[in-house]
PDB file of all heavy atoms in Angstrom:
ATOM      1  N   GLY A1348       0.840  -1.184   0.000  1.00  0.00           N
ATOM      2  CA  GLY A1348       0.000   0.000   0.000  1.00  0.00           C
ATOM      3  C   GLY A1348       0.877   1.236   0.000  1.00  0.00           C
ATOM      4  O   GLY A1348       2.037   1.186   0.403  1.00  0.00           O
ATOM      5  N   VAL A1349       0.330   2.345  -0.470  1.00  0.00           N
ATOM      6  CA  VAL A1349       1.097   3.588  -0.566  1.00  0.00           C
ATOM      7  C   VAL A1349       0.311   4.690   0.127  1.00  0.00           C
ATOM      8  O   VAL A1349      -0.876   4.881  -0.171  1.00  0.00           O
ATOM      9  CB  VAL A1349       1.335   3.965  -2.037  1.00  0.00           C
ATOM     10  CG1 VAL A1349       2.056   5.282  -2.155  1.00  0.00           C
ATOM     11  CG2 VAL A1349       2.118   2.858  -2.744  1.00  0.00           C
ATOM     12  N   PRO A1350       0.945   5.413   1.039  1.00  0.00           N
ATOM     13  CA  PRO A1350       2.263   5.175   1.613  1.00  0.00           C
ATOM     14  C   PRO A1350       2.253   3.937   2.515  1.00  0.00           C
ATOM     15  O   PRO A1350       1.189   3.456   2.896  1.00  0.00           O
ATOM     16  CB  PRO A1350       2.552   6.437   2.417  1.00  0.00           C
ATOM     17  CG  PRO A1350       1.228   7.023   2.732  1.00  0.00           C
ATOM     18  CD  PRO A1350       0.306   6.600   1.620  1.00  0.00           C
ATOM     19  N   ARG A1351       3.410   3.465   2.836  1.00  0.00           N
ATOM     20  CA  ARG A1351       3.562   2.221   3.591  1.00  0.00           C
ATOM     21  C   ARG A1351       2.786   2.245   4.908  1.00  0.00           C
ATOM     22  O   ARG A1351       2.147   1.266   5.282  1.00  0.00           O
ATOM     23  CB  ARG A1351       5.036   1.940   3.854  1.00  0.00           C
ATOM     24  CG  ARG A1351       5.280   0.592   4.492  1.00  0.00           C
ATOM     25  CD  ARG A1351       6.732   0.325   4.658  1.00  0.00           C
ATOM     26  NE  ARG A1351       7.345   0.321   3.330  1.00  0.00           N
ATOM     27  CZ  ARG A1351       8.564  -0.100   3.081  1.00  0.00           C
ATOM     28  NH1 ARG A1351       9.322  -0.534   4.050  1.00  0.00           N
ATOM     29  NH2 ARG A1351       9.037  -0.066   1.860  1.00  0.00           N
ATOM     30  N   ASP A1352       2.828   3.370   5.615  1.00  0.00           N
ATOM     31  CA  ASP A1352       2.102   3.472   6.887  1.00  0.00           C
ATOM     32  C   ASP A1352       0.602   3.323   6.698  1.00  0.00           C
ATOM     33  O   ASP A1352      -0.087   2.757   7.535  1.00  0.00           O
ATOM     34  CB  ASP A1352       2.407   4.802   7.580  1.00  0.00           C
ATOM     35  CG  ASP A1352       3.823   4.876   8.111  1.00  0.00           C
ATOM     36  OD1 ASP A1352       4.449   3.807   8.302  1.00  0.00           O
ATOM     37  OD2 ASP A1352       4.303   5.995   8.347  1.00  0.00           O
ATOM     38  N   TYR A1353       0.078   3.832   5.601  1.00  0.00           N
ATOM     39  CA  TYR A1353      -1.345   3.681   5.310  1.00  0.00           C
ATOM     40  C   TYR A1353      -1.680   2.208   5.069  1.00  0.00           C
ATOM     41  O   TYR A1353      -2.688   1.699   5.555  1.00  0.00           O
ATOM     42  CB  TYR A1353      -1.756   4.522   4.102  1.00  0.00           C
ATOM     43  CG  TYR A1353      -3.218   4.354   3.769  1.00  0.00           C
ATOM     44  CD1 TYR A1353      -4.189   4.957   4.554  1.00  0.00           C
ATOM     45  CD2 TYR A1353      -3.615   3.565   2.702  1.00  0.00           C
ATOM     46  CE1 TYR A1353      -5.534   4.782   4.270  1.00  0.00           C
ATOM     47  CE2 TYR A1353      -4.965   3.390   2.415  1.00  0.00           C
ATOM     48  CZ  TYR A1353      -5.910   4.004   3.200  1.00  0.00           C
ATOM     49  OH  TYR A1353      -7.242   3.823   2.921  1.00  0.00           O
ATOM     50  N   GLY A1354      -0.814   1.512   4.322  1.00  0.00           N
ATOM     51  CA  GLY A1354      -1.009   0.089   4.088  1.00  0.00           C
ATOM     52  C   GLY A1354      -1.065  -0.695   5.388  1.00  0.00           C
ATOM     53  O   GLY A1354      -1.915  -1.562   5.566  1.00  0.00           O
ATOM     54  N   ARG A1355      -0.162  -0.370   6.303  1.00  0.00           N
ATOM     55  CA  ARG A1355      -0.171  -1.040   7.611  1.00  0.00           C
ATOM     56  C   ARG A1355      -1.461  -0.730   8.366  1.00  0.00           C
ATOM     57  O   ARG A1355      -2.028  -1.601   9.029  1.00  0.00           O
ATOM     58  CB  ARG A1355       1.034  -0.600   8.433  1.00  0.00           C
ATOM     59  CG  ARG A1355       2.313  -1.222   7.976  1.00  0.00           C
ATOM     60  CD  ARG A1355       3.442  -0.956   8.971  1.00  0.00           C
ATOM     61  NE  ARG A1355       4.714  -1.133   8.304  1.00  0.00           N
ATOM     62  CZ  ARG A1355       5.605  -0.185   8.110  1.00  0.00           C
ATOM     63  NH1 ARG A1355       5.406   1.033   8.568  1.00  0.00           N
ATOM     64  NH2 ARG A1355       6.733  -0.441   7.477  1.00  0.00           N
ATOM     65  N   ALA A1356      -1.914   0.523   8.286  1.00  0.00           N
ATOM     66  CA  ALA A1356      -3.142   0.905   8.975  1.00  0.00           C
ATOM     67  C   ALA A1356      -4.348   0.151   8.425  1.00  0.00           C
ATOM     68  O   ALA A1356      -5.217  -0.288   9.182  1.00  0.00           O
ATOM     69  CB  ALA A1356      -3.357   2.416   8.872  1.00  0.00           C
ATOM     70  N   VAL A1357      -4.405  -0.029   7.109  1.00  0.00           N
ATOM     71  CA  VAL A1357      -5.497  -0.790   6.499  1.00  0.00           C
ATOM     72  C   VAL A1357      -5.451  -2.237   6.994  1.00  0.00           C
ATOM     73  O   VAL A1357      -6.490  -2.818   7.343  1.00  0.00           O
ATOM     74  CB  VAL A1357      -5.430  -0.728   4.958  1.00  0.00           C
ATOM     75  CG1 VAL A1357      -6.397  -1.717   4.322  1.00  0.00           C
ATOM     76  CG2 VAL A1357      -5.706   0.680   4.473  1.00  0.00           C
ATOM     77  N   MET A1358      -4.265  -2.818   7.045  1.00  0.00           N
ATOM     78  CA  MET A1358      -4.129  -4.191   7.539  1.00  0.00           C
ATOM     79  C   MET A1358      -4.606  -4.301   8.978  1.00  0.00           C
ATOM     80  O   MET A1358      -5.351  -5.222   9.318  1.00  0.00           O
ATOM     81  CB  MET A1358      -2.667  -4.654   7.451  1.00  0.00           C
ATOM     82  CG  MET A1358      -2.170  -4.881   6.050  1.00  0.00           C
ATOM     83  SD  MET A1358      -2.940  -6.291   5.237  1.00  0.00           S
ATOM     84  CE  MET A1358      -2.312  -7.608   6.218  1.00  0.00           C
ATOM     85  N   ASP A1359      -4.192  -3.367   9.814  1.00  0.00           N
ATOM     86  CA  ASP A1359      -4.495  -3.442  11.245  1.00  0.00           C
ATOM     87  C   ASP A1359      -5.924  -3.047  11.593  1.00  0.00           C
ATOM     88  O   ASP A1359      -6.496  -3.587  12.538  1.00  0.00           O
ATOM     89  CB  ASP A1359      -3.531  -2.560  12.039  1.00  0.00           C
ATOM     90  CG  ASP A1359      -2.096  -3.059  11.986  1.00  0.00           C
ATOM     91  OD1 ASP A1359      -1.885  -4.246  11.660  1.00  0.00           O
ATOM     92  OD2 ASP A1359      -1.194  -2.253  12.262  1.00  0.00           O
ATOM     93  N   ASN A1360      -6.492  -2.104  10.866  1.00  0.00           N
ATOM     94  CA  ASN A1360      -7.766  -1.521  11.271  1.00  0.00           C
ATOM     95  C   ASN A1360      -8.956  -1.907  10.401  1.00  0.00           C
ATOM     96  O   ASN A1360     -10.090  -1.689  10.807  1.00  0.00           O
ATOM     97  CB  ASN A1360      -7.653   0.006  11.309  1.00  0.00           C
ATOM     98  CG  ASN A1360      -6.608   0.445  12.299  1.00  0.00           C
ATOM     99  OD1 ASN A1360      -6.711   0.143  13.476  1.00  0.00           O
ATOM    100  ND2 ASN A1360      -5.589   1.132  11.829  1.00  0.00           N
ATOM    101  N   THR A1361      -8.718  -2.450   9.229  1.00  0.00           N
ATOM    102  CA  THR A1361      -9.824  -2.844   8.348  1.00  0.00           C
ATOM    103  C   THR A1361      -9.777  -4.334   8.058  1.00  0.00           C
ATOM    104  O   THR A1361     -10.700  -5.071   8.390  1.00  0.00           O
ATOM    105  CB  THR A1361      -9.779  -2.046   7.030  1.00  0.00           C
ATOM    106  OG1 THR A1361      -9.839  -0.654   7.345  1.00  0.00           O
ATOM    107  CG2 THR A1361     -10.937  -2.425   6.122  1.00  0.00           C
ATOM    108  N   LEU A1362      -8.691  -4.782   7.471  1.00  0.00           N
ATOM    109  CA  LEU A1362      -8.613  -6.183   7.056  1.00  0.00           C
ATOM    110  C   LEU A1362      -8.581  -7.149   8.230  1.00  0.00           C
ATOM    111  O   LEU A1362      -9.061  -8.274   8.121  1.00  0.00           O
ATOM    112  CB  LEU A1362      -7.415  -6.394   6.136  1.00  0.00           C
ATOM    113  CG  LEU A1362      -7.548  -5.681   4.786  1.00  0.00           C
ATOM    114  CD1 LEU A1362      -6.277  -5.824   3.979  1.00  0.00           C
ATOM    115  CD2 LEU A1362      -8.747  -6.194   4.012  1.00  0.00           C
ATOM    116  N   ALA A1363      -8.050  -6.711   9.360  1.00  0.00           N
ATOM    117  CA  ALA A1363      -8.013  -7.575  10.542  1.00  0.00           C
ATOM    118  C   ALA A1363      -9.419  -7.969  10.994  1.00  0.00           C
ATOM    119  O   ALA A1363      -9.607  -9.009  11.631  1.00  0.00           O
ATOM    120  CB  ALA A1363      -7.268  -6.884  11.677  1.00  0.00           C
ATOM    121  N   LEU A1364     -10.412  -7.154  10.652  1.00  0.00           N
ATOM    122  CA  LEU A1364     -11.785  -7.417  11.074  1.00  0.00           C
ATOM    123  C   LEU A1364     -12.491  -8.455  10.207  1.00  0.00           C
ATOM    124  O   LEU A1364     -13.459  -9.073  10.657  1.00  0.00           O
ATOM    125  CB  LEU A1364     -12.590  -6.115  11.066  1.00  0.00           C
ATOM    126  CG  LEU A1364     -12.057  -5.000  11.955  1.00  0.00           C
ATOM    127  CD1 LEU A1364     -12.854  -3.726  11.726  1.00  0.00           C
ATOM    128  CD2 LEU A1364     -12.079  -5.408  13.417  1.00  0.00           C
ATOM    129  N   VAL A1365     -12.044  -8.632   8.962  1.00  0.00           N
ATOM    130  CA  VAL A1365     -12.775  -9.514   8.040  1.00  0.00           C
ATOM    131  C   VAL A1365     -11.927 -10.627   7.434  1.00  0.00           C
ATOM    132  O   VAL A1365     -12.466 -11.462   6.704  1.00  0.00           O
ATOM    133  CB  VAL A1365     -13.448  -8.710   6.897  1.00  0.00           C
ATOM    134  CG1 VAL A1365     -14.520  -7.786   7.441  1.00  0.00           C
ATOM    135  CG2 VAL A1365     -12.433  -7.935   6.087  1.00  0.00           C
ATOM    136  N   THR A1366     -10.627 -10.641   7.701  1.00  0.00           N
ATOM    137  CA  THR A1366      -9.760 -11.648   7.092  1.00  0.00           C
ATOM    138  C   THR A1366      -8.863 -12.306   8.136  1.00  0.00           C
ATOM    139  O   THR A1366      -8.747 -11.840   9.261  1.00  0.00           O
ATOM    140  CB  THR A1366      -8.835 -11.032   6.026  1.00  0.00           C
ATOM    141  OG1 THR A1366      -7.883 -10.166   6.664  1.00  0.00           O
ATOM    142  CG2 THR A1366      -9.616 -10.247   4.982  1.00  0.00           C
ATOM    143  N   THR A1367      -8.221 -13.366   7.701  1.00  0.00           N
ATOM    144  CA  THR A1367      -7.123 -13.954   8.451  1.00  0.00           C
ATOM    145  C   THR A1367      -5.848 -13.444   7.813  1.00  0.00           C
ATOM    146  O   THR A1367      -5.720 -13.445   6.587  1.00  0.00           O
ATOM    147  CB  THR A1367      -7.167 -15.492   8.368  1.00  0.00           C
ATOM    148  OG1 THR A1367      -8.407 -15.937   8.906  1.00  0.00           O
ATOM    149  CG2 THR A1367      -6.013 -16.123   9.109  1.00  0.00           C
ATOM    150  N   ARG A1368      -4.920 -12.971   8.615  1.00  0.00           N
ATOM    151  CA  ARG A1368      -3.659 -12.465   8.080  1.00  0.00           C
ATOM    152  C   ARG A1368      -2.575 -13.515   8.300  1.00  0.00           C
ATOM    153  O   ARG A1368      -2.415 -14.017   9.409  1.00  0.00           O
ATOM    154  CB  ARG A1368      -3.293 -11.145   8.754  1.00  0.00           C
ATOM    155  CG  ARG A1368      -4.321 -10.057   8.424  1.00  0.00           C
ATOM    156  CD  ARG A1368      -4.076  -8.770   9.151  1.00  0.00           C
ATOM    157  NE  ARG A1368      -4.241  -8.986  10.585  1.00  0.00           N
ATOM    158  CZ  ARG A1368      -3.834  -8.138  11.510  1.00  0.00           C
ATOM    159  NH1 ARG A1368      -3.235  -7.026  11.185  1.00  0.00           N
ATOM    160  NH2 ARG A1368      -4.032  -8.400  12.787  1.00  0.00           N
ATOM    161  N   VAL A1369      -1.875 -13.869   7.239  1.00  0.00           N
ATOM    162  CA  VAL A1369      -0.827 -14.886   7.284  1.00  0.00           C
ATOM    163  C   VAL A1369       0.382 -14.406   6.490  1.00  0.00           C
ATOM    164  O   VAL A1369       0.272 -13.525   5.647  1.00  0.00           O
ATOM    165  CB  VAL A1369      -1.304 -16.237   6.701  1.00  0.00           C
ATOM    166  CG1 VAL A1369      -2.453 -16.805   7.496  1.00  0.00           C
ATOM    167  CG2 VAL A1369      -1.688 -16.112   5.247  1.00  0.00           C
ATOM    168  N   THR A1370       1.519 -15.022   6.772  1.00  0.00           N
ATOM    169  CA  THR A1370       2.718 -14.770   5.972  1.00  0.00           C
ATOM    170  C   THR A1370       2.817 -15.838   4.889  1.00  0.00           C
ATOM    171  O   THR A1370       2.119 -16.862   4.942  1.00  0.00           O
ATOM    172  CB  THR A1370       3.995 -14.807   6.830  1.00  0.00           C
ATOM    173  OG1 THR A1370       4.153 -16.138   7.341  1.00  0.00           O
ATOM    174  CG2 THR A1370       3.933 -13.805   7.984  1.00  0.00           C
ATOM    175  N   VAL A1371       3.699 -15.615   3.944  1.00  0.00           N
ATOM    176  CA  VAL A1371       3.935 -16.618   2.900  1.00  0.00           C
ATOM    177  C   VAL A1371       4.357 -17.937   3.528  1.00  0.00           C
ATOM    178  O   VAL A1371       3.841 -19.003   3.168  1.00  0.00           O
ATOM    179  CB  VAL A1371       5.003 -16.125   1.897  1.00  0.00           C
ATOM    180  CG1 VAL A1371       5.442 -17.248   0.980  1.00  0.00           C
ATOM    181  CG2 VAL A1371       4.493 -14.948   1.089  1.00  0.00           C
TER     182      VAL A1371
END
C-alpha cells in the first residue's frame, strides 16, 4: 500500500476485522 504506513493501517484496522492475516 502507498504510503507504507497507510497500508499497515489498512491491515491493522480494516482487514483484521474480516480476514485472516498470514505470511507466505
Side-chain angles (χ1 to χ4, degrees):
V1349 177
R1351 187 177 299 192
D1352 290 340
Y1353 179 75
R1355 285 190 200 116
V1357 169
M1358 290 292 294
D1359 294 341
N1360 299 301
T1361 302
L1362 293 175
L1364 301 173
V1365 295
T1366 68
T1367 300
R1368 296 175 295 166
V1369 298
T1370 64
V1371 169

